[in-house]
Amino acid sequence: MKPLLLKMQAFGPYVKEQIVDFEKLSSAGIFLIKGPTGSGKTTIFDAMTFALYGGSSGTGEKDKTGRNDLSQWRCNQSPDDVPTVVTFTFSVNGHTYRFERRLTKARKNFNEKLEAGEMDEEGNVIPFFQNTKKDEMNKKAEQLVGLTKEQFRQVVLLPQGQFERFLTASSSEKEDILKKIFNSESWDKYAVHFFDAAKLRKEALEEENNAVKNSLAEDNLDSLEDLADRIDSLQAELQANEDAFIAFDAEGKQTALDADKLLAGDFGALHKLEREETELKAQNSAVERMRRQYEAADRAEELRSLIRDAESSAIKALDREKQLADIDQKLPGAQKAEDQAAAAVKQFTDEGKAEKLQTKLGEFAAKRDTYLKLDVLAAALSKAQEEEKQAAAKAKQAENKEIQAADLAGKAFEFYNVAEDTAKQYRDRYFAGIYGEIASQLREDEKCPVCGSIHHPEPAARTAEGISKTQVDRAEAEKEKARKAWDAAEADRRNAEKSRNAAQQKLAGTAAATASAEANFNNASASRIPGIDSLQAFNKAVQAAEMEKTAAEAKGKELQNYLENAKNTVSSLKAQRETARQELAGAKAAAGTAASALQEALAARGYESVAAVKSALLEQSKRNKLLEEVVSHETRTVENKKKLTEAGEKLAGKTEPDASTFLARQEEIKTQQNNHTKVKTACGEALKRLTEKQRILTAKNKHYQQEIHQAEQDLLFAKALRGDTGMGLQRYVLAIMFGQVLQEANHMLEKVHGGRYRLFRTDDKGTGNKRGLELAVQDSRSPEQGGRSVKMLSGGEKFLVSLALSIGMSTVAQKSGVKIEALFIDEGFGTLDDRSINDAMEILESVRRSNGMIGIISHVALLEANITTQVEVVKDEKGNYIIS
């Protein structure tokens, strides 16, 4: 990282923008930053650190809070409209970058804006982020520079009071710093990764071995040998089960049982036929009764139609007698209804209501035109009255607007008079105090418009009642504004007056039209029908008369129809009575003939009465059912006899088996088969499962035995790399890198006091019981063989040794990939004598030749005399500034 340019504004003690051109200063190699105490020399380094990391270069408790807040660094002398800005431009590996942090005043508070990006050849910044966040910008700075803020302060910026921090730091603190500078975390990560991998490998193998044991334990086994014995035992049990099942001969026993069951079935069929024979014999007497009942019903069936005809003829004659009686009963009432209807028709005809209504409708028709004209005249009168009402309202409205506009115009005129008087007074007072006004606007080093001088030791005094040109111009503007308002108000008043005149003329015209329409309507009203005042009432009267006439005509037709219906009813009943008399005579004759025929048939067949025939009659379905029962019994008797003969011949010489033993015999066979299948299935499945388990577990056990030894050796080695049993890989690498740092530092110390001092590491315990990074110094003038602690060095000695150590660390860091092209030192030279200062300058000169730039803050006169390139910070009440 090489600083190029620093800009700061409203930052710390600086009000205006200050620029530090590091690229220009680097041409001399070493430059000095000087100035009074508290002038803001260290603020240059703070601005550079703040631009990169958002924090200052200090390390105190205050730096962790306020000094990391840009608003706390804002110069309190700066106006609110001047933003606080820190901009740092630097280069890394041939690329140029710019980081800027800015505070701008918003409504109430200051808002922080961040920007970071790479600069192209034309000086344009290409941002890294669209909306930069503080954490993103800080991490980007660490990525580009290769150092955190703390590392930057240890290696690049050596702040005031912190110069010897690394020298006297404990092993633990040195280790943290060296880790970050030399990026040794990768070695630690490698050791941790290797340990994790080795641990996981051993745990996986142990888990695999435990899985073998757990799998055996599921079957209550302790070893793979026990598993093999269990498999042999199952095979023997399976073979014994098969031998026992063959000896039982289940198949032969099942065949014999099936044959006995078939024979028992044949004997069962024989016994069923014998029971059926007994039942059929028991039914013979009942079947004989059914046969006799069927024959009697069949004989009586021949008289069924004669009985039905005789009974039907007698019922028909009775119906005709009843029908004739009903007609004789209805005929007097029908004759009376006819007489009443004739009387009602005569009365309606004598009244003549329909003819009277027809006459009235004729009178209405003669008056229709009169009412039509009257309705039009009424509408015209109503319209004229409405228009006159609207015209009156508009005339009143126009009159009100005219009054309002006149009032506004009067007020506008009064306001204009006041504004004109005020403007005149301001002009008079302004010209009276014009010289005092000119004197108040004079500035030092600017020409006076009166005398031409650029110095104004005694300017004219401004009068107490003096008026400025701005006040005069404002009063003139107010007067002009009032005049325009008055003109506008006067124009509105004239327009309102015209509108009011027009509205009055419109009102007079509508009043005349209303009077004319009213006269026409009154003339037409004189010829109206009394009681009917409008066309609507006239139409309702006509409609009512028409409806009344229609109702009267309908009633006449209804009465006439009623009379005709009554006459028809009387005629119809008389005709029906004659027909009923004739049908009754015929029905009586037919009934006598049917009764004689039935009596002859009864006598011929030997029946004493119709009741005797009816007692023997049956419905066709019942007769059919009796016949079916008789025929079925005869058929079943014949079939039974035939089957009994066949079954006796088939079972001749055979003995009926005992069916009561069939269930026990079948259960014995089934039990033997089930037991055989159960044992065969259980042993087979167990044998298959355990054989597969034996194969899998044998392979896993073989793999465990092959791999476990190497895994244990790898874990031991990983623990050693991690430092569990001594120095780990990371501390080993750090010790080597720190040795290189000490080598470079000692090379620098050869130029100090004739090479009197030499740094070396000790095995003393530091904070946290860590060893290996504690420092001691070997002093060629000291009698102590083991050297002495660096903490025992004097202030000047510590500065020189710390300077050499910092430069050594910077040199080694650059070899490790962090390229540092600048070194800044804040104070520390005040503790050195002239010789030590010369030695320190020789060290810094050798560094400059390799690193390119060194900046020093110091009050030491010898440095000021020897370093020609200087940056001076000047104190000023209006804001400090930088001269370079």
Side-chain angles (χ1 to χ4, degrees):
M1 189 278 292
K2 180 179 180 180
L4 298 177
L5 190 70
L6 174 67
K7 293 182 181 181
M8 49 188 171
Q9 175 182 280
F11 185 80
Y14 302 107
V15 177
K16 297 182 179 179
E17 183 182 67
Q18 305 298 315
I19 299 176
V20 181
D21 190 344
F22 291 113
E23 192 168 19
K24 179 180 178 182
L25 294 171
S26 67
S27 61
I30 299 177
F31 63 91
L32 178 69
I33 301 176
K34 66 180 183 178
T37 301
S39 60
K41 300 185 296 299
T42 304
T43 304
I44 296 175
F45 294 159
D46 289 330
M48 186 162 50
T49 311
F50 214 110
L52 285 172
Y53 301 104
S56 71
S57 61
T59 59
E61 191 64 30
K62 181 180 178 182
D63 306 316
K64 298 178 182 178
T65 55
R67 295 180 71 86
N68 289 337
D69 184 354
L70 186 56
S71 64
Q72 298 296 320
W73 279 91
R74 178 170 172 79
C75 179
N76 56 16
Q77 292 179 272
S78 300
D80 285 351
D81 60 345
V82 176
T84 297
V85 183
V86 283
T87 305
F88 182 47
T89 306
F90 60 95
S91 65
V92 177
N93 297 327
H95 295 272
T96 302
Y97 305 97
R98 192 180 79 179
F99 278 54
E100 180 178 281
R101 298 176 192 257
R102 175 185 296 265
L103 275 182
T104 305
K105 179 70 173 179
R107 291 183 178 179
K108 293 183 179 180
N109 302 319
F110 284 88
N111 291 337
E112 185 173 6
K113 181 180 179 182
L114 310 175
E115 183 183 88
E118 183 176 354
M119 299 180 68
D120 59 19
E121 295 179 355
E122 298 178 358
N124 300 313
V125 178
I126 304 172
F128 293 127
F129 315 102
Q130 291 293 329
N131 185 16
T132 308
K133 302 290 190 302
K134 187 176 292 186
D135 290 343
E136 293 176 338
M137 189 168 175
N138 296 346
K139 290 179 181 178
K140 192 64 178 180
E142 292 179 9
Q143 175 187 341
L144 293 174
V145 178
L147 301 171
T148 64
K149 187 180 85 169
E150 290 73 16
Q151 296 167 350
F152 191 76
R153 190 168 54 236
Q154 289 289 337
V155 179
V156 180
L157 292 178
L158 302 180
Q160 184 174 351
Q162 299 297 319
F163 202 71
E164 62 185 51
R165 179 182 172 190
F166 183 73
L167 176 67
T168 58
S170 65
S171 290
S172 177
E173 292 173 334
K174 287 190 182 75
E175 181 175 351
D176 291 339
I177 295 171
L178 291 171
K179 280 180 184 178
K180 295 174 181 176
I181 292 176
F182 298 118
N183 195 26
S184 64
E185 287 87 347
S186 58
W187 295 100
D188 188 44
K189 290 179 181 177
Y190 173 76
V192 171
H193 176 73
F194 188 80
F195 174 80
D196 291 342
K199 182 181 177 184
L200 288 174
R201 175 62 177 156
K202 187 173 184 300
E203 288 176 350
L205 288 170
E206 292 297 344
E207 186 176 350
E208 187 176 5
N209 189 43
N210 289 334
V212 172
K213 293 178 180 179
N214 292 336
S215 181
L216 289 170
E218 291 173 355
D219 293 291
N220 297 320
L221 299 172
D222 296 328
S223 65
L224 289 173
E225 291 76 11
D226 291 345
L227 177 59
D229 293 342
R230 178 73 61 82
I231 291 173
D232 293 341
S233 176
L234 285 172
Q235 289 175 339
E237 183 180 353
L238 189 64
Q239 186 60 48
N241 177 63
E242 196 65 29
D243 294 342
F245 188 67
I246 292 172
F248 177 71
D249 188 19
E251 185 176 357
K253 285 183 171 58
Q254 185 64 51
T255 301
L257 177 58
D258 292 343
D260 286 348
K261 286 181 178 180
L262 289 174
L263 182 59
D266 291 340
F267 273 102
L270 175 63
H271 297 326
K272 183 178 180 181
L273 290 170
E274 290 172 346
R275 290 192 298 273
E276 185 181 10
E277 180 185 27
T278 301
E279 291 174 359
L280 289 171
K281 289 179 179 179
Q283 296 170 358
N284 285 339
S285 58
V287 171
E288 182 60 27
R289 286 194 297 273
M290 285 188 286
R291 179 183 291 108
R292 290 196 297 270
Q293 183 181 6
Y294 172 77
E295 291 173 350
D298 191 54
R299 175 167 165 265
E301 188 65 26
E302 295 175 357
L303 299 175
R304 181 187 291 274
S305 60
L306 292 175
I307 293 173
R308 183 172 58 245
D309 291 343
E311 291 178 345
S312 175
S313 297
I315 291 171
K316 190 174 181 180
L318 291 174
D319 289 340
R320 294 296 178 268
E321 286 181 355
K322 182 179 178 182
Q323 182 180 7
L324 181 59
D326 289 340
I327 293 171
D328 289 340
Q329 186 179 1
K330 292 177 181 178
L331 189 57
Q335 187 64 55
K336 183 178 179 181
E338 179 183 359
D339 295 340
Q340 290 174 346
V345 170
K346 183 177 182 302
Q347 181 182 356
F348 180 79
T349 302
D350 292 344
E351 289 177 354
K353 188 175 182 179
E355 288 76 5
K356 293 177 182 178
L357 288 170
Q358 181 62 43
T359 302
K360 186 177 182 179
L361 285 172
E363 294 174 355
F364 281 163
K367 289 287 184 178
R368 178 168 295 278
D369 290 341
T370 299
Y371 278 98
L372 288 173
K373 181 179 179 182
L374 186 64
D375 193 59
V376 172
L377 292 174
L381 176 59
S382 178
K383 180 179 179 184
Q385 290 171 339
E386 180 62 28
E387 289 177 353
E388 182 182 5
K389 181 180 177 182
Q390 292 177 0
K394 288 181 179 180
K396 183 63 177 176
Q397 184 179 9
E399 183 179 357
N400 292 336
K401 285 185 177 180
E402 181 187 10
I403 294 171
Q404 184 179 7
D407 183 59
L408 291 175
K411 290 180 179 179
F413 180 68
E414 291 175 1
F415 188 77
Y416 168 68
N417 287 334
V418 172
E420 185 177 31
D421 290 343
T422 302
K424 183 177 182 304
Q425 292 174 14
Y426 274 34
R427 284 196 304 272
D428 294 342
R429 291 167 61 186
Y430 169 70
F431 288 115
I434 189 66
Y435 294 113
E437 179 66 23
I438 293 173
S440 68
Q441 296 180 6
L442 291 178
R443 298 289 182 270
E444 194 68 17
D445 296 330
E446 293 181 2
K447 287 184 178 183
C448 174
V450 178
C451 65
S453 174
I454 62 173
H455 300 293
H456 321 290
E458 296 180 359
R462 189 174 181 181
T463 61
E465 297 183 354
I467 296 297
S468 66
K469 182 66 166 62
T470 302
Q471 289 175 303
V472 172
D473 292 343
R474 189 180 300 119
E476 288 291 339
E478 289 294 329
K479 182 193 75 171
E480 183 62 21
K481 180 179 178 183
R483 186 190 64 77
K484 291 180 178 179
W486 175 42
D487 290 344
E490 183 62 23
D492 290 342
R493 186 195 63 78
R494 289 193 296 270
N495 291 333
E497 183 180 8
K498 291 179 181 179
S499 298
R500 191 260 304 164
N501 292 334
Q504 291 290 348
Q505 292 176 1
K506 178 69 174 178
L507 176 60
T510 56
T514 301
S516 176
E518 187 174 5
N520 293 334
F521 178 77
N522 291 334
N523 292 333
S525 298
S527 59
R528 290 181 295 184
I529 299 173
I532 302 177
D533 297 332
S534 64
L535 178 63
Q536 183 179 8
F538 175 80
N539 289 333
K540 286 183 178 180
V542 171
Q543 185 178 9
E546 289 176 344
M547 292 176 64
E548 192 176 355
K549 176 192 172 189
T550 301
E553 291 175 345
K555 185 177 181 180
K557 290 181 180 180
E558 181 183 356
L559 292 173
Q560 191 65 41
N561 291 334
Y562 182 70
L563 176 59
E564 292 297 326
N565 291 334
K567 290 179 178 180
N568 293 333
T569 300
V570 171
S571 299
S572 175
L573 286 174
K574 290 178 178 179
Q576 291 174 14
R577 182 178 60 181
E578 185 61 29
T579 302
R581 287 173 178 172
Q582 295 174 1
E583 289 177 352
L584 176 60
K588 286 182 177 181
T593 302
S596 299
L598 177 59
Q599 289 300 322
E600 291 177 0
L602 289 173
R605 288 171 176 77
Y607 287 103
E608 295 178 357
S609 64
V610 173
V613 177
K614 285 185 175 182
S615 65
L617 283 173
L618 292 173
E619 296 294 332
Q620 182 65 38
S621 59
K622 290 183 179 180
R623 287 189 291 114
N624 292 340
K625 186 174 181 181
L626 287 172
L627 181 61
E628 288 174 2
E629 290 289 342
V630 172
V631 172
S632 174
H633 181 268
E634 292 175 351
T635 303
R636 285 167 60 198
T637 300
V638 173
E639 289 292 328
N640 176 262
K641 185 176 181 180
K642 178 181 178 183
K643 289 179 179 179
L644 275 172
T645 301
E646 292 175 351
E649 294 174 353
K650 180 179 180 181
L651 296 175
K654 295 182 180 180
T655 303
E656 183 176 3
D658 186 0
S660 63
T661 65
F662 289 171
L663 182 61
R665 289 166 64 189
Q666 186 65 64
E667 283 298 323
E668 181 185 15
I669 296 170
K670 184 178 180 180
T671 300
Q672 288 294 330
Q673 288 176 332
N674 288 343
N675 290 339
H676 170 259
T677 302
K678 183 176 180 181
V679 172
K680 183 177 181 181
T681 301
C683 289
E685 290 177 352
L687 190 61
K688 180 180 178 181
R689 181 178 62 80
L690 292 177
T691 302
E692 179 62 16
K693 177 178 283 193
Q694 183 184 41
R695 181 187 68 77
I696 294 172
L697 297 185
T698 300
K700 288 185 177 181
N701 184 62
K702 181 179 179 182
H703 179 259
Y704 173 79
Q705 298 298 333
Q706 291 174 344
E707 300 291 333
I708 188 63
H709 178 70
Q710 184 62 46
E712 290 174 343
Q713 293 299 315
D714 289 346
L715 185 59
L716 290 174
F717 180 66
K719 289 180 178 179
L721 285 180
R722 201 175 64 168
D724 291 4
T725 57
M727 182 181 291
L729 178 61
Q730 179 178 253
R731 299 202 70 224
Y732 177 76
V733 172
L734 286 179
I736 293 175
M737 300 300 292
F738 193 45
Q740 294 179 11
V741 170
L742 294 180
Q743 183 178 352
E744 292 292 336
N746 288 329
H747 178 67
M748 296 294 172
L749 288 174
E750 291 176 358
K751 301 177 177 64
V752 176
H753 297 334
R756 174 181 169 183
Y757 303 109
R758 187 172 185 81
L759 289 169
F760 64 92
R761 291 189 295 110
T762 71
D763 289 332
D764 295 340
K765 286 185 179 180
T767 304
N769 291 328
K770 290 191 175 181
R771 299 174 181 269
L773 297 179
E774 297 296 320
L775 287 176
V777 63
Q778 183 68 50
D779 187 350
S780 61
R781 298 182 184 180
S782 175
E784 299 177 15
Q785 296 298 321
R788 55 189 171 118
S789 172
V790 292
K791 296 178 181 179
M792 296 175 62
L793 293 172
S794 66
E797 290 173 330
K798 284 181 181 179
F799 177 81
L800 291 171
V801 174
S802 297
L803 178 62
L805 186 62
S806 297
I807 293 170
M809 187 154 50
S810 176
T811 303
V812 176
Q814 291 189 70
K815 292 178 181 179
S816 302
V818 180
K819 187 174 183 181
I820 302 168
E821 301 180 60
L823 180 65
F824 298 93
I825 303 170
D826 188 356
E827 299 296 350
F829 290 89
T831 59
L832 303 181
D833 56 22
D834 291 350
R835 180 186 175 189
S836 297
I837 291 175
N838 288 329
D839 289 341
M841 290 300 297
E842 186 175 350
I843 292 174
L844 294 175
E845 180 61 29
S846 65
V847 174
R848 183 199 66 76
R849 286 192 291 270
S850 60
N851 286 14
M853 181 194 307
I854 295 177
I856 301 172
I857 295 177
S858 181
H859 299 86
V860 178
L862 183 59
L863 290 176
E864 185 175 351
N866 288 297
I867 300 175
T868 58
T869 303
Q870 298 180 1
V871 175
E872 183 178 3
V873 180
V874 180
K875 266 189 172 183
D876 191 286
E877 292 182 356
K878 296 181 180 179
N880 297 357
Y881 58 91
I882 296 172
I883 302 175
S884 59

